[in-house]
Amino acid sequence: MRRRILVSLFLSLCAVVSAEGKLDYSKRKEATKFTIEKNNEIERQLDFSNKKDFEEARKGFIATWPDNKILDENGNVVWNFESFDFLGVEDNKKSPDTVNPSLWRNAQLNQINGLFKVTDGIYQVRGFDLGNITFVRGDKGWIVIDMCTTVEVAKAGYELLKTHVADLPITGVIATHSHLDHFGGIKGVVSKEDVASGKVPFIAPDTFFEESVSENLIAGNAMGRRASYMYGSILPRDEKGTVDAGLGKAVSVGTNTILEPSKVVEKTGEKLTIDGIEFDFLMANGTEAPSEFMFYIPKYKAFCGAEVINRTLHNISTLRGAQTRDALKWSKSIDQAVQLYGDKSEVIFAPHYWPKWGQEDIKDMLEKHRDTYKFIHDQTLRLANQGQTPIEISEMVKLPDALNKEFFNRGYYGTVSHNTKAVYDKYFGAWWDGNPSNLYKLPPVEAAKNYVEFMGGETEVIEKAKGSYDKGEYRWVVEILNQVIFANPKNKEARELSADAMEQLGYQAESGPWRAYFLTGAQELRNGVVALPTPNPLSKDMINGLPTLNFLDYLAVRVNPEKANGLDLKINIKFTDLNEDYSVVLKNSVLNSYDKLQKNPNSEIILTRDTFNKMLLKETTFEKEIKNNNIKVTNPENVNKLVGTLDNFKFWFNIVEPNVQ
């Protein structure tokens, strides 16, 4: 029993919640007359007759993957090209009533997939993942820029290139930033040995590796659950479900890898020559990612905008949850690109979306993209300085037509509405709007019960909500019925009506994540939370690269103070293969960690980091490694006391109804 408890100390990151259950989509409704009219307004507002984006998205097409699926070595589907066939791209299918026509247009554009020639010497594979993989011709081979999310997709892209352009070796690899969909497939194009030996240079921005392996660790469970909403992971791909992620089609599901760069770029203006090709770098840390750069390739007069420059308004605060980004810094980074390369670039490409050609069009796009982020930033602060609150500001800030009517500034991923709130959060903190009545509010359930009682009871509120629904006031219906649901989550009538209203909001949403959030909320209100199997998010490379202190910090957020009350423990941890020592101290119901040993410890754990990694990956067990004499523990009862204080996080926690503690 003691050994089993001790195992959880090392396997805590790998806890997977799963349950059997069948998702029921039979309760989905058609679009109402109000939703149809709302979507018709978008068609009248924007110039859907302009087909230039479709021409550019198809420009330079060479070939696509010969099969309808990309499979892993075990035959599992990594990417299914057919799952979005309902979009009818080649037939120019009109948007259905259940999808915002602007989002439908964006979804069709992102569905155009294959290998494309960007310009002489640059090729791109698009539509195989959320992002693209780009190949630049060097003197002796191919330089790869961003490797998509999975090994299988990156490998498929490289095979397509070798088959249809030139069968040459990989001579360099570049990751523009520290998000998984830009480096996860790296081992599909290059080996660890080739990078380590210097045969193939791997270039990334400063702090890339640290940010990549540490991102989302401490808050990862909540972020993961919210991401299931943001990307619609429980929704079907059809006209009433997922049509697009906003930034791309979807995320491929396969093998994630990472390697440590052989060279990091630290400052703007730094130049590197890779396989005979010069790259001029422009740092953009702290914009879309904590570690990010853009660059210019003089030989090809091509600029790579990383994920700073996109054909959509991006997120200043992402709905899945992340540290709020800096809209002002974002706009200034784009402005630097304009000043340094706006008059030089003849093509701009990026790891999402299709390229833009022509110096005049590129400069116009960059300036308007820059000004969109700057406008959102400046107007939020202008109104905040006049005393307006985040919700008020989000209703008041509207982009001017010169910015708003450009498709590349539309809110397919981020939105003006939630980005203004993010800017407010950056300066003031989003938890409070400055009104003392909101300083010490009741918790949601207690407040909801009082609201419902004051409004005459559940039946009265629902009847009034029905009247609002019949008027197309879906935002209000969702808001007011949320009180009934949190007061009494078993009220089926309230759940069904709120789900119907959320669904209509989803059908109206131009943002892919907003659509997914509303439709997922409707699904869970109608059917409850179905705890599906969740994959282990930790790849071998991520585990190997995870700093030990980061892992120990994660353990600290799992400490339940009531269980830890009165405990005073010091535990030393020795990794003999690395000759590294660590320790944790539990006192005052707080767990602190150190990269040194404590004097007079209560317990000591001696093992190798390799053994530690294998246990996290479930390749072995704690009991087996003790039996094999690979782990030594003194006074295990004290370690068990520490482990006994740790909470296990449930992945499928409630979002649209109360969580029962």
Side-chain angles (χ1 to χ4, degrees):
M1 180 63 181
R2 287 179 177 178
R3 288 180 179 177
R4 288 178 184 173
I5 295 175
L6 192 55
V7 169
S8 67
L9 176 63
F10 297 102
L11 299 185
S12 57
L13 284 179
C14 299
V16 176
V17 179
S18 63
E20 295 182 1
K22 185 178 180 181
L23 295 172
D24 178 11
Y25 305 116
S26 63
K27 299 176 183 178
R28 297 187 297 173
K29 304 291 198 306
E30 299 297 330
T32 65
K33 63 180 181 181
F34 300 103
T35 292
I36 293 171
E37 176 54 29
K38 190 82 171 179
N39 287 338
N40 286 341
E41 284 181 20
I42 296 294
E43 287 194 325
R44 293 190 291 268
Q45 179 184 354
L46 300 175
D47 183 10
F48 285 85
S49 66
N50 186 340
K51 300 298 181 183
K52 187 171 183 178
D53 282 344
F54 284 92
E55 294 168 4
E56 291 187 327
R58 292 187 171 101
K59 184 175 180 178
F61 175 77
I62 297 172
T64 193
W65 193 244
D67 301 317
N68 55 25
K69 296 179 179 67
I70 297 174
L71 306 176
D72 66 14
E73 59 184 12
N74 297 316
N76 299 310
V77 177
V78 174
W79 186 257
N80 185 349
F81 291 96
E82 295 180 320
S83 63
F84 290 102
D85 280 354
F86 67 89
L87 291 168
V89 179
E90 298 307 318
D91 299 328
N92 195 27
K93 184 177 178 181
K94 188 181 184 302
S95 60
D97 293 337
T98 53
V99 184
N100 180 295
S102 181
L103 177 60
W104 181 264
R105 175 186 182 276
N106 187 68
Q108 288 183 321
L109 285 161
N110 281 331
Q111 177 65 358
I112 298 171
N113 59 75
L115 170 66
F116 300 83
K117 180 179 179 179
V118 176
T119 189
D120 288 342
I122 301 179
Y123 297 82
Q124 203 169 53
V125 175
R126 302 195 293 269
F128 286 33
D129 192 17
L130 187 69
N132 311 324
I133 182 169
T134 304
F135 300 91
V136 176
R137 180 67 181 267
D139 289 348
K140 298 179 180 179
W142 295 109
I143 303 160
V144 187
I145 300 166
D146 286 354
M147 291 68 66
C148 296
T149 310
T150 58
V151 165
E152 295 81 5
V153 164
K155 188 179 295 184
Y158 184 34
E159 287 300 320
L160 202 60
L161 179 80
K162 290 192 294 183
T163 300
H164 295 280
V165 182
D167 188 355
L168 298 171
I170 301 300
T171 53
V173 181
I174 298 174
T176 60
H177 61 288
S178 54
H179 289 158
L180 181 64
D181 54 319
H182 299 264
F183 65 80
I186 188 169
K187 286 189 177 179
V189 294
V190 68
S191 69
K192 179 180 180 180
E193 292 72 24
D194 282 348
V195 171
S197 68
K199 180 181 178 181
V200 179
F202 174 25
I203 315 301
D206 187 33
T207 72
F208 164 84
F209 191 71
E210 296 84 349
E211 295 291 350
S212 297
V213 299
S214 302
E215 186 186 47
N216 303 343
L217 178 65
I218 288 179
N221 190 70
M223 287 182 179
R225 174 66 170 121
R226 287 171 56 157
S228 73
Y229 265 64
M230 179 174 174
Y231 294 107
S233 63
I234 68 169
L235 300 176
R237 294 177 177 178
D238 60 23
E239 294 179 357
K240 293 180 181 176
T242 297
V243 298
D244 197 73
L247 193 64
K249 292 317 305 169
V251 179
S252 61
V253 182
T255 307
N256 309 130
T257 56
I258 189 173
L259 294 174
E260 194 161 0
S262 55
K263 167 68 178 176
V264 295
V265 176
E266 298 178 337
K267 60 183 180 180
T268 293
E270 194 168 343
K271 302 179 191 296
L272 292 176
T273 298
I274 307 169
D275 190 19
I277 304 298
E278 181 184 287
F279 291 80
D280 299 353
F281 291 93
L282 169 58
M283 300 307 296
N285 287 353
T287 55
E288 188 272 337
S291 173
E292 189 157 5
F293 58 39
M294 301 178 277
F295 55 81
Y296 177 69
I297 309 174
K299 179 176 180 178
Y300 299 122
K301 296 181 179 179
F303 182 74
C304 175
E307 204 168 323
V308 180
I309 299 166
N310 303 278
R311 286 180 178 263
T312 179
L313 175 62
H314 212 293
N315 290 299
I316 302 303
S317 178
T318 176
L319 301 189
R320 65 175 169 82
Q323 293 185 27
T324 301
R325 297 156 180 169
D326 191 332
L328 183 59
K329 182 180 287 187
W330 201 316
S331 71
K332 288 183 178 295
S333 292
I334 299 176
D335 190 55
Q336 275 192 294
V338 173
Q339 303 306 321
L340 292 173
Y341 308 114
D343 294 328
K344 299 178 181 179
S345 302
E346 294 183 358
V347 62
I348 179 172
F349 65 93
H352 295 284
Y353 289 97
W354 55 96
K356 169 68 74 175
W357 290 267
Q359 195 175 101
E360 186 176 332
D361 285 350
I362 290 170
K363 193 170 183 180
D364 180 66
M365 176 181 169
L366 291 180
E367 289 177 344
K368 288 179 177 176
H369 212 48
R370 170 201 66 194
D371 290 347
T372 296
Y373 290 102
K374 189 73 159 51
F375 184 91
I376 291 170
H377 172 273
D378 292 352
Q379 295 309 307
T380 298
L381 270 296
R382 179 180 70 86
L383 293 170
N385 280 315
Q386 294 176 0
Q388 303 295 333
T389 63
I391 294 176
E392 291 169 331
I393 292 170
S394 71
E395 295 291 314
M396 297 169 72
V397 174
K398 308 292 182 186
L399 293 178
D401 282 351
L403 302 177
N404 191 47
K405 290 194 174 182
E406 295 287 359
F407 283 109
F408 55 72
N409 278 338
R410 301 296 296 184
Y412 302 122
Y413 202 48
T415 70
V416 174
S417 177
H418 75 254
N419 278 346
T420 56
K421 296 171 186 172
V423 172
Y424 190 99
D425 172 56
K426 184 72 175 177
Y427 287 89
F428 304 102
W431 70 273
W432 188 38
D433 59 6
N435 186 334
S437 68
N438 295 322
L439 182 59
Y440 192 41
K441 298 187 72 171
L442 291 172
V445 172
E446 187 177 348
K449 290 179 179 179
N450 288 336
Y451 275 122
V452 172
E453 181 184 354
F454 272 45
M455 290 185 288
E458 295 174 22
T459 301
E460 182 71 18
V461 175
I462 292 170
E463 285 304 310
K464 290 181 177 179
K466 287 178 181 177
S468 296
Y469 183 90
D470 291 340
K471 297 176 184 176
E473 298 170 351
Y474 304 127
R475 291 171 67 185
W476 175 243
V477 172
V478 167
E479 181 173 342
I480 200 65
L481 288 180
N482 188 60
Q483 305 298 334
V484 178
I485 293 165
F486 268 72
N488 178 15
K490 294 182 179 180
N491 190 313
K492 185 177 180 181
E493 190 175 13
R495 294 175 71 107
E496 294 286 349
L497 185 56
S498 182
D500 289 348
M502 274 193 193
E503 187 170 60
Q504 296 304 316
L505 291 173
Y507 292 165
Q508 295 173 16
E510 186 177 35
S511 162
W514 275 42
R515 177 182 174 89
Y517 240 92
F518 284 128
L519 297 184
T520 301
Q523 176 72 15
E524 292 193 347
L525 281 172
R526 288 167 175 157
N527 302 290
V529 176
V530 178
L532 301 171
T534 55
N536 186 350
L538 299 169
S539 71
K540 186 174 183 178
D541 287 346
M542 292 293 186
I543 289 293
N544 290 339
L546 179 67
T548 302
L549 285 177
N550 288 51
F551 172 78
L552 297 177
D553 285 341
Y554 171 73
L555 286 186
V557 304
R558 290 181 52 197
V559 171
N560 185 313
E562 294 179 358
K563 297 177 182 178
N565 187 38
L567 291 179
D568 189 347
L569 298 171
K570 298 177 183 178
I571 298 174
N572 286 340
I573 305 169
K574 296 181 178 180
F575 289 116
T576 56
D577 54 339
L578 302 179
N579 195 28
E580 292 180 354
D581 297 328
Y582 298 90
S583 60
V584 292
V585 177
L586 179 64
K587 190 175 183 178
N588 302 317
S589 294
V590 174
L591 186 69
N592 287 295
S593 55
Y594 304 92
D595 56 355
K596 64 179 183 180
L597 298 177
Q598 299 295 315
K599 295 180 180 179
N600 304 314
N602 303 100
S603 294
E604 186 172 71
I605 303 170
I606 303 174
L607 74 166
T608 65
R609 178 60 194 251
D610 183 61
T611 299
F612 174 80
N613 293 346
K614 287 178 179 178
M615 287 189 295
L616 289 179
L617 291 165
K618 298 186 177 181
E619 294 176 356
T620 186
T621 65
F622 193 76
E623 290 92 339
K624 183 177 180 179
E625 296 307 314
I626 288 181
K627 186 176 181 180
N628 292 339
N629 204 33
N630 291 328
I631 298 178
K632 296 179 181 179
V633 182
T634 63
N635 301 322
E637 65 276 4
N638 291 315
V639 179
N640 293 339
K641 289 178 183 178
L642 170 61
V643 174
T645 70
L646 303 179
D647 281 346
N648 289 314
F649 297 138
K650 176 183 176 183
F651 181 81
W652 294 103
F653 57 77
N654 294 332
I655 290 180
V656 291
E657 61 182 291
N659 281 288
V660 179
Q661 297 296 327

